Amino acid sequence: MKAAVITFPGSNCDYDMYYALHDEFGIETTIIPATTTDLSAYDAIFLPGGFSYGDYLRTGAIARFSPVMDALITANQQGKIIVGICNGFQILTEAGLLPGALQTNIQPGFICDETGLTIANATTTFTNAFETPTIKLPIAHGEGNYYVDEAQLAELQGNNQILFAYTDNPNGSVANIAGVMNKAGNVFGMMPHPERAVDELLGNTDGRAFFQSILASLATHLEVSNV
């Protein structure tokens, strides 16, 4: 598996993601700039957290027009795995690769804490290795209040696209939603940070199953492709 971590001006979790992918799971990983226009060499693409372009207009609103986004759309059309964490999630919704939008937290202000999550769908590319129904992951955001209208929510629920739900809903998200995937099942975004919960030294290893799920799914895909 070859992974790319896209770094935008203002990204600050790119090396956290690199560490999780490369150092913890031995995945061949490259950090590439948002000026990149070709992602064909990678099996999975990760958009990390941070404050891309300062998030001055709206979180992810400027990053959505970065040169790399056309290549990301092509990667999506090819069914490649695309993951957005925190600011990366905000960018994916701005780009229309995931439904919904991220608003200011219901109580305005930056939250930096750990939060409880329920695994709402444990049969996906991103969740198949979780062995417990609930986990805890770090959160760090001021605009993590996920919103979809009633029709979109019904579609997400009907298609089992909601993968993680907050147990305490710290930001006011609709239906406690913490992470969703697209209908095709290859694009995923969440506000909590699994990459910050992969090592005992970090005090939390609940995020490891997220990466193990992706590795297991890719291994199965490659076995099927080689038959």
Side-chain angles (χ1 to χ4, degrees):
M1 170 179 167
K2 291 184 178 181
V5 178
I6 300 173
T7 183
F8 299 85
S11 294
N12 61 16
C13 299
D14 37 6
Y15 280 90
D16 292 350
M17 185 62 76
Y18 178 89
Y19 170 80
L21 293 166
H22 182 267
D23 290 35
E24 286 293 328
F25 294 98
I27 297 169
E28 184 177 345
T29 305
T30 307
I31 295 178
I32 59 174
T35 52
T36 299
T37 57
D38 184 1
L39 295 170
S40 60
Y42 305 103
D43 304 301
I45 300 116
F46 294 79
L47 281 66
F51 302 91
S52 56
Y53 299 93
D55 283 339
Y56 289 119
L57 291 179
R58 189 176 61 248
T59 52
I62 301 176
R64 175 254 181 277
F65 294 101
S66 299
V68 74
M69 296 307 290
D70 285 339
L72 195 68
I73 290 169
T74 298
N76 174 46
Q77 293 167 344
Q78 295 169 341
K80 292 189 177 183
I81 291 174
I82 298 172
V83 173
I85 302 298
C86 198
N87 193 223
F89 184 20
Q90 294 160 341
I91 295 168
L92 291 178
T93 59
E94 286 287 337
L97 292 176
L98 286 174
L102 281 307
Q103 306 180 123
T104 300
N105 295 342
I106 191 167
Q107 292 186 336
F110 192 86
I111 304 171
C112 184
D113 205 343
E114 267 194 346
T115 189
L117 297 172
T118 298
I119 316 300
N121 181 352
T123 62
T124 75
T125 294
F126 311 96
T127 56
N128 62 75
F130 283 96
E131 297 179 347
T132 59
T134 59
I135 59 171
K136 278 192 173 183
L137 289 181
I139 54 171
H141 58 253
E143 297 179 43
N145 182 357
Y146 184 73
Y147 174 79
V148 287
D149 63 25
E150 290 185 7
Q152 289 175 309
L153 177 60
E155 185 172 356
L156 288 176
Q157 292 170 330
N159 295 326
N160 291 319
Q161 291 173 247
I162 301 169
L163 307 196
F164 295 94
Y166 295 110
T167 59
D168 55 356
N169 202 355
N171 49 37
S173 293
V174 166
N176 302 324
I177 292 173
V180 298
M181 67 179 182
N182 66 345
K183 193 172 181 179
N186 65 302
V187 181
F188 170 76
M190 72 186 308
M191 290 308 296
H193 289 265
E195 80 279 12
R196 295 183 184 177
V198 294
D199 192 308
E200 293 287 354
L201 287 174
L202 299 173
N204 186 345
T205 59
D206 283 2
R208 292 186 65 85
F210 176 75
F211 297 96
Q212 290 165 341
S213 297
I214 294 172
L215 284 169
S217 296
L218 275 174
T220 301
H221 175 73
L222 290 174
E223 285 179 8
V224 172
S225 299
N226 291 331
V227 171

